[in-house]
Protein backbone atom coordinates (compact mmCIF):
# COMPACT_ATOMS: atom_id res chain seq x y z
CA UNK A 1 0.00 0.00 0.00
CA UNK A 2 1.28 3.43 -0.89
CA UNK A 3 1.69 6.15 1.68
CA UNK A 4 -0.56 9.08 0.65
CA UNK A 5 1.94 11.56 2.12
CA UNK A 6 4.62 10.66 -0.43
CA UNK A 7 4.31 12.56 -3.70
CA UNK A 8 6.43 11.36 -6.62
CA UNK A 9 7.53 13.77 -9.26
CA UNK A 10 8.46 12.78 -12.80
CA UNK A 11 12.17 12.58 -13.54
CA UNK A 12 13.80 15.17 -15.71
CA UNK A 13 15.51 13.95 -18.91
CA UNK A 14 18.90 14.58 -17.25
CA UNK A 15 17.94 12.41 -14.26
CA UNK A 16 16.67 9.65 -16.54
CA UNK A 17 19.95 9.71 -18.48
CA UNK A 18 22.01 9.53 -15.26
CA UNK A 19 19.85 6.65 -14.01
CA UNK A 20 20.36 4.77 -17.28
CA UNK A 21 24.14 5.29 -17.20
CA UNK A 22 24.26 4.14 -13.58
CA UNK A 23 22.21 1.03 -14.42
CA UNK A 24 24.52 0.18 -17.31
CA UNK A 25 27.59 0.63 -15.09
CA UNK A 26 26.10 -1.68 -12.45
CA UNK A 27 25.23 -4.29 -15.10
CA UNK A 28 28.77 -4.18 -16.53
CA UNK A 29 30.31 -4.50 -13.07
CA UNK A 30 28.07 -7.47 -12.28
CA UNK A 31 28.92 -9.12 -15.60
CA UNK A 32 32.64 -8.61 -14.96
CA UNK A 33 32.29 -10.24 -11.54
CA UNK A 34 30.54 -13.25 -13.08
CA UNK A 35 33.30 -13.66 -15.66
CA UNK A 36 35.98 -13.24 -12.96
CA UNK A 37 34.38 -15.88 -10.72
CA UNK A 38 34.08 -18.27 -13.69
CA UNK A 39 37.72 -17.82 -14.66
CA UNK A 40 38.90 -18.23 -11.06
CA UNK A 41 36.81 -21.39 -10.66
CA UNK A 42 38.26 -22.92 -13.82
CA UNK A 43 41.78 -21.92 -12.75
CA UNK A 44 41.28 -23.43 -9.30
CA UNK A 45 40.03 -26.72 -10.78
CA UNK A 46 43.19 -26.94 -12.87
CA UNK A 47 43.89 -28.12 -16.38
CA UNK A 48 43.21 -31.78 -15.52
CA UNK A 49 39.49 -31.14 -15.28
CA UNK A 50 39.31 -31.53 -19.07
CA UNK A 51 41.15 -34.90 -19.04
CA UNK A 52 38.49 -36.89 -17.20
CA UNK A 53 37.04 -40.18 -18.44
CA UNK A 54 33.66 -39.88 -20.07
Amino acid sequence: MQDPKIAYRPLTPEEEQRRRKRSIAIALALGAMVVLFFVLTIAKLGPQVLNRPL
Side-chain angles (χ1 to χ4, degrees), residues 48-54:
Q48 294 302 321
V49 74
L50 298 176
N51 293 334
R52 62 178 186 197
L54 293 175

Side-chain angles (χ1 to χ4, degrees), residues 11-54:
L11 296 176
T12 64
E14 180 184 328
E15 290 172 331
E16 287 178 3
Q17 187 176 17
R18 279 193 283 164
R19 177 187 279 184
R20 180 165 174 76
K21 285 182 181 180
R22 186 170 46 242
S23 296
I24 290 172
I26 291 170
L28 289 175
L30 183 59
M33 274 183 37
V34 168
V35 169
L36 177 66
F37 289 161
F38 178 75
V39 169
L40 289 175
T41 301
I42 297 300
K44 191 169 179 90
L45 289 174
Q48 294 302 321
V49 74
L50 298 176
N51 293 334
R52 62 178 186 197
L54 293 175

